[in-house]
Amino acid sequence: MGTECTCNCNQSKLDALFAQYKGNPNGLIVVMAAIQESQGYLPKDLLVRTAEELGVPLSDVYGVATFYAAFSLRPRGRHSVNLCLGTACYVKGAPEVQSMLEKEMGIKAGNTTEDRRFSLDLVRCLGACGIAPVLTVNGEVYPRMTAEKVTEVLSKYE
Amino acid sequence: MNFKELELLRATAKEGIKLRLGEEPSDNFKYHVLVCGGTGCHSVGCQNTLQALQKAIDSQGLQDTVKLVVTGCMGTCEMGPVITVFPDGYYYCRVQPEDAEELVTSHLKEGKYVDRLCYHTADGTVQPRKSDMTFFKKQKRNALRNCGLINQTSIEEYIAVGGFKALAKTLQEMTPQQVVDEVKKSGLRGRGGGGFPTGLKWQFVLDQKSDQKYVVCNGDEGDPGAFMDRSVLEDDPYSVIEAMTIGGYAVGANKGYAYIRLEYPKAIDHFNKALARAREVGLLGNNILESDFSFDIEIRVGAGAFVCGEETALLASIEGRRGEPRPRPPFPAVSGLFEKPTLLNNVETYASICPIIINGGEWYATMGTEKSKGTKVFTLAGKINNTGLVEIPLGLTLREMVEDIGGGVPNGKAFKAAQTGGPSGGCIPAAYLDTPIDYENLAALGSIVGSGGMIIVDESTCMVDLAKFYLGFTQDESCGKCTPCRIGTKRMLEILERITKGLGKPEDLDLLVELANSIKASALCGLGQTAPNPILSTLRYFRDEFEAHIKDKTCPAGVCKMPRKGLKS
Ligand SMILES: Cc1cc2nc3c(=O)[nH]c(=O)nc-3n(C[C@H](O)[C@H](O)[C@H](O)COP(=O)(O)O)c2cc1C
Ligand code: SF4
Ligand code: FES
Ligand code: FES
């Protein structure tokens, strides 16, 4: 997820989805998820097109975009860092990892670094509570995270 | 595929896994080496262990006598990568690539198990086989029956262990009413958190007159600390597909939706593969098993909102809208997806159906307690030695869960509480360790079974801070539609923040209780109605900790940062 499209496949996939859900508001989230996946965020022009093709008011499209955590209206960093702050991770020290991540990146969770190297998000339970605290970078799972390991993990990503 | 072909396939497929079931195989394999490919083990490098094992097996010329299989979660996730060797089910923990050579030489070549890799209890006793392990002894696996035993996406292995037997039976021998009756007799209650009798729900949907009905599987699993639904979706997707199809037959629906949260990419992937495979062989789609029943399932990916686990919000989300709850009635059983009668159950609920159909509802009802029948999956996490995936007959005591299965609290610390039911639940302190776990008992203690997340905390956890954590969670996840939840939880959170900063006032506790009770009574959906529970429950058992924060400006557990003593608030 979050990788830039380098070929035409996503474009044609989107076209196919637009065709499939033409005039059908029920497809809204499916289409938006496809856009989010191919572009890494929801560019305005594509949202306008979505509203037109599916026959949904743009305000509703915006409402959905802001409701779900998976959707982002702003471009994201090249590497997406997610720290779990679910209960199991919390009681095993995720808050210290969070402080360290924010310090290293110089941003608060929920944001993207100036150079767009990293986006940092807090998530609620990745379902890997047995190996808490859990951090993922671009989907790769780092188990039993500690504040000390943060620098080393981040240095792997350019 | 028709009924006869299914049985033929079962017979051939069964040959391939007999060794794992403790039966004499007719093929050449002397050993089956099962490598856990579950999320926990994956994250600690089970792929490397797998490769190293493959290499060692090949280099020692054992490829024709040793079968390597990747399975789902075996249960003890903290000890990954885990592997099991059959026959006899030797259980190896934390198997690193560099252990592969020794394992293969010693166990697979010379028949001697490797002691140092076996499971050791906290006091150092070795428990080499699964059957020796205290972790497994008190468990009873129904919903998890195939997790860690079969390849996750192989329809052949699923069929080999009895898969699609229940579906064939319903289509061949049972009327929809008979199916519903069997579920009723089992006493199964919804495993998604509410605990509503499943058979009754099925009856409601069956009784509706409608040209179109739907079956929905709730795989949103937003409860932090719970991962049983993920495991079932990843490790045994066919069991959910089969049960949803049976549900469709029972209530008269031809279309199903599986709503799976996007944080679970592997579950989505496995479920997708399983759907395609089931369609390919005629176990899903038009005229299943050449009968006149047709049913198909589509996946809908959740987009990351906890409230979407609430059933009416979930339906709105499938319809492509904001996942906001609506008042009930009408219940989904009457007016659900696209305003049609909808059967909506949790993943684990579905995973429990097939054994009930095959063995009968009475069989299921022999397990559990008087009002809480059967088995329930719990995910043990937090400050506990054996974190992992556990399925127990209801009625086991909390002590058996924590001490026998969980292996106790690590680092010599004292057990403080078990938090159950996540943000809707509460905590159970040490004084109640001998309480049998069931829906009624936990409710009486001010907690709930919920979806089955069980977080163990020790003396180093501050209960005020934990309550604040949960409130922060619900506050974050509130959809904002109704005022008591949106604003009420915010005010409660502010009070707790004040208390944990050492700025609390004595009257704050009464204010918290008052707010809690009015939010409980007036919020629109379960999220708001249960949001105060973690606070009420910590106040009930750990009031002294709150008082220490307020009066003495100290945090007994040393978690909250307090101003220097004597500072005026
Ligand atoms: C805020 C909230 C979140 C919920 N999240 C889930 C969930 O993640 N998974 C689930 O199965 N049920 C969840 N539920 C319960 C569902 O609304 C519903 O009762 C359940 O899915 C019904 O299935 P069952 O009868 O098989 O348990 C949630 C309820 C509330 C109020
Ligand atoms: S109780 Fe909370 S989550 Fe539920 S509808 Fe009201 S604001 Fe939304
Ligand atoms: S609480 Fe962090 S993975 Fe579950
Ligand atoms: S993921 Fe391997 S034991 Fe749970």
Side-chain angles (χ1 to χ4, degrees):
Chain A
M1 248 176 280
T3 42
E4 300 277 348
C5 179
T6 50
C7 63
N8 278 326
C9 62
N10 283 316
Q11 201 49 51
S12 54
K13 190 178 154 205
L14 273 185
D15 285 337
L17 275 177
F18 279 134
Q20 186 184 344
Y21 289 107
K22 185 132 197 93
N24 179 0
N26 297 326
L28 184 56
I29 293 176
V30 177
V31 171
M32 285 170 70
I35 298 175
Q36 173 77 38
E37 179 163 355
S38 70
Q39 311 295 312
Y41 75 113
L42 301 172
K44 190 173 165 202
D45 54 334
L46 280 177
L47 289 185
V48 172
R49 176 157 176 224
T50 305
E52 283 164 1
E53 300 259 9
L54 272 60
V56 183
L58 191 57
S59 59
D60 284 7
V61 175
Y62 182 76
V64 167
T66 50
F67 185 82
Y68 293 101
F71 297 140
S72 167
L73 292 167
R74 277 177 292 158
R76 315 277 300 145
R78 291 193 297 285
H79 305 293
S80 147
V81 181
N82 288 339
L83 174 68
C84 178
L85 262 197
T87 325
C89 293
Y90 185 82
V91 303
K92 287 198 126 177
E96 285 93 72
V97 181
Q98 183 190 346
S99 313
M100 194 62 184
L101 282 166
E102 292 181 336
K103 197 169 138 219
E104 284 277 305
M105 293 186 191
I107 51 169
K108 285 274 166 214
N111 293 296
T112 300
T113 56
E114 196 98 332
D115 58 3
R116 289 193 56 196
R117 184 171 161 212
F118 292 115
S119 293
L120 174 63
D121 286 291
L122 302 178
V123 296
R124 302 295 194 179
C125 194
L126 294 157
C129 326
I131 47 165
V134 184
L135 177 79
T136 67
V137 184
N138 303 335
E140 190 173 342
V141 181
Y142 291 90
R144 301 188 196 102
M145 270 306 287
T146 57
E148 293 81 63
K149 288 198 223 160
V150 163
T151 318
E152 190 200 320
V153 170
L154 293 186
S155 71
K156 290 198 202 168
Y157 300 88
E158 269 309 303
Chain B
M1 191 177 335
N2 58 31
F3 296 104
K4 212 165 132 216
E5 284 158 359
L6 175 65
E7 283 319 307
L8 282 175
L9 176 59
R10 191 185 319 285
T12 26
K14 194 164 173 213
E15 285 303 322
I17 68 151
K18 267 187 166 171
L19 192 103
R20 264 174 266 168
L21 305 177
E23 293 172 32
E24 208 52 49
S26 57
D27 53 25
N28 288 328
F29 290 107
K30 265 180 77 187
Y31 291 103
H32 282 192
V33 178
L34 276 51
V35 180
C36 175
T39 307
C41 289
H42 202 83
S43 72
V44 289
C46 67
Q47 321 87 288
N48 301 338
T49 302
L50 178 76
Q51 275 171 12
L53 280 168
Q54 184 69 64
K55 221 171 117 203
I57 289 169
D58 291 347
S59 73
Q60 306 213 27
L62 297 175
Q63 58 272 38
D64 296 329
T65 52
V66 176
K67 182 147 133 187
L68 254 183
V69 191
V70 178
T71 72
C73 178
M74 296 184 176
T76 58
C77 313
E78 227 276 317
M79 283 178 271
V82 179
I83 73 171
T84 323
V85 180
F86 285 94
D88 300 327
Y90 282 91
Y91 200 89
Y92 293 116
C93 307
R94 299 216 167 96
V95 184
Q96 303 303 320
E98 49 276 24
D99 299 322
E101 201 69 45
E102 180 187 352
L103 235 162
V104 172
T105 314
S106 172
H107 194 140
L108 307 181
K109 206 155 194 177
E110 295 162 9
K112 286 192 309 251
Y113 73 88
V114 183
D115 185 279
R116 74 178 172 89
L117 294 173
C118 291
Y119 175 76
H120 288 69
T121 60
D123 64 13
T125 325
V126 202
Q127 302 180 334
R129 282 163 301 222
K130 252 179 116 162
S131 53
D132 302 321
M133 290 170 67
T134 29
F135 179 80
F136 289 108
K137 273 195 180 141
K138 294 193 171 170
Q139 292 197 45
K140 184 123 190 49
R141 296 188 149 213
N142 290 315
L144 299 182
R145 62 197 176 278
N146 298 326
C147 291
L149 185 69
I150 62 172
N151 177 284
Q152 298 155 299
T153 49
S154 159
I155 202 166
E156 287 79 11
E157 293 209 344
Y158 178 71
I159 289 173
V161 289
F164 292 105
K165 237 185 200 164
L167 178 62
K169 182 174 172 185
T170 51
L171 295 181
Q172 272 182 308
E173 302 169 15
M174 299 168 85
T175 63
Q177 185 61 54
Q178 282 171 328
V179 178
V180 173
D181 287 341
E182 218 53 65
V183 178
K184 275 192 197 158
K185 268 187 254 168
S186 74
L188 174 66
R189 296 168 67 165
R191 300 301 192 216
F196 187 81
T198 306
L200 261 185
K201 193 187 269 183
W202 287 37
Q203 184 74 58
F204 285 145
V205 187
L206 170 61
D207 289 344
Q208 298 302 311
K209 301 262 173 297
S210 175
D211 54 334
Q212 175 74 56
K213 296 179 187 177
Y214 294 101
V215 172
V216 173
C217 172
N218 188 343
D220 196 48
E221 192 161 65
D223 181 357
F227 54 96
M228 61 286 291
D229 293 348
R230 163 184 205 144
S231 301
V232 171
L233 289 168
E234 268 179 35
D235 302 343
D236 200 13
Y238 293 104
S239 73
V240 178
I241 293 171
E242 185 182 357
M244 286 177 73
T245 311
I246 292 171
Y249 174 79
V251 303
N254 61 8
K255 172 99 203 180
Y257 287 90
Y259 190 90
I260 310 179
R261 67 194 303 228
L262 103 157
E263 288 90 339
Y264 290 179
K266 211 161 146 198
I268 295 167
D269 178 46
H270 286 186
F271 204 82
N272 243 328
K273 286 194 175 122
L275 285 177
R277 197 69 184 106
R279 262 183 224 123
E280 198 175 56
V281 299
L283 287 162
L284 199 63
N286 286 334
N287 302 94
I288 292 171
L289 286 166
E290 294 176 12
S291 72
D292 49 21
F293 177 64
S294 299
F295 186 80
D296 211 336
I297 300 173
E298 216 179 290
I299 295 185
R300 278 301 150 91
V301 176
F306 172 70
V307 71
C308 284
E310 197 279 338
E311 53 190 24
T312 59
L314 184 138
L315 296 172
S317 184
I318 296 181
E319 292 169 7
R321 296 183 284 122
R322 286 168 70 103
E324 285 174 355
R326 60 158 175 80
R328 299 170 306 168
F331 288 91
V334 177
S335 174
L337 193 59
F338 308 119
E339 291 169 17
K340 301 291 182 188
T342 300
L343 176 67
L344 190 153
N345 278 121
N346 164 262
V347 173
E348 189 191 329
T349 312
Y350 284 121
S352 309
I353 293 292
C354 295
I356 291 174
I357 299 296
I358 293 175
N359 303 315
E362 277 109 3
W363 160 82
Y364 193 79
T366 56
M367 295 171 282
T369 62
E370 183 172 354
K371 287 189 184 147
S372 302
K373 302 293 186 196
T375 56
K376 170 84 193 88
V377 183
F378 287 87
T379 48
L380 259 182
K383 306 288 184 63
I384 182 101
N385 276 315
N386 304 333
T387 60
L389 191 62
V390 170
E391 183 168 357
I392 55 158
L394 285 157
L396 219 64
T397 66
L398 197 56
R399 188 184 298 283
E400 290 172 293
M401 188 76 157
V402 172
E403 292 175 4
D404 300 338
I405 296 173
V409 174
N411 307 324
K413 294 252 172 74
F415 168 90
K416 187 170 193 174
Q419 206 287 343
T420 66
S424 308
C427 48
I428 305 168
Y432 298 96
L433 271 171
D434 292 309
T435 309
I437 301 168
D438 71 4
Y439 288 86
E440 286 69 34
N441 285 336
L442 294 204
L445 293 176
S447 189
I448 55 169
V449 169
S451 62
M454 186 177 279
I455 311 274
I456 307 300
V457 297
D458 66 14
E459 52 195 319
S460 64
T461 301
C462 167
M463 299 311 277
V464 186
D465 181 69
L466 189 65
K468 186 181 79 174
F469 165 82
Y470 277 114
L471 217 58
F473 178 89
T474 37
Q475 161 71 69
D476 246 21
E477 299 292 340
S478 162
C479 83
K481 185 170 173 173
C482 64
T483 328
C485 170
R486 186 179 68 238
I487 301 186
T489 57
K490 183 151 181 66
R491 293 292 166 263
M492 288 183 90
L493 182 60
E494 285 165 2
I495 298 174
L496 284 173
E497 275 170 349
R498 250 192 357 246
I499 297 177
T500 52
K501 282 187 187 143
L503 305 173
K505 300 183 224 91
E507 58 274 25
D508 279 346
L509 297 186
D510 293 335
L511 189 57
L512 275 177
V513 174
E514 193 189 321
L515 270 168
N517 288 329
S518 59
I519 296 170
K520 268 175 95 106
S522 56
L524 172 62
C525 87
L527 188 143
Q529 287 156 7
T530 60
N533 289 354
I535 300 202
L536 290 173
S537 139
T538 33
L539 258 175
R540 175 163 165 191
Y541 299 116
F542 299 96
R543 200 180 175 95
D544 51 333
E545 279 191 41
F546 283 83
E547 283 168 352
H549 283 76
I550 294 172
K551 291 193 187 124
D552 311 333
K553 312 281 180 224
T554 56
C555 174
V559 172
C560 306
K561 302 200 176 33
M562 292 286 159
R564 266 178 298 120
K565 274 220 172 131
L567 220 65
K568 272 250 171 252
S569 51

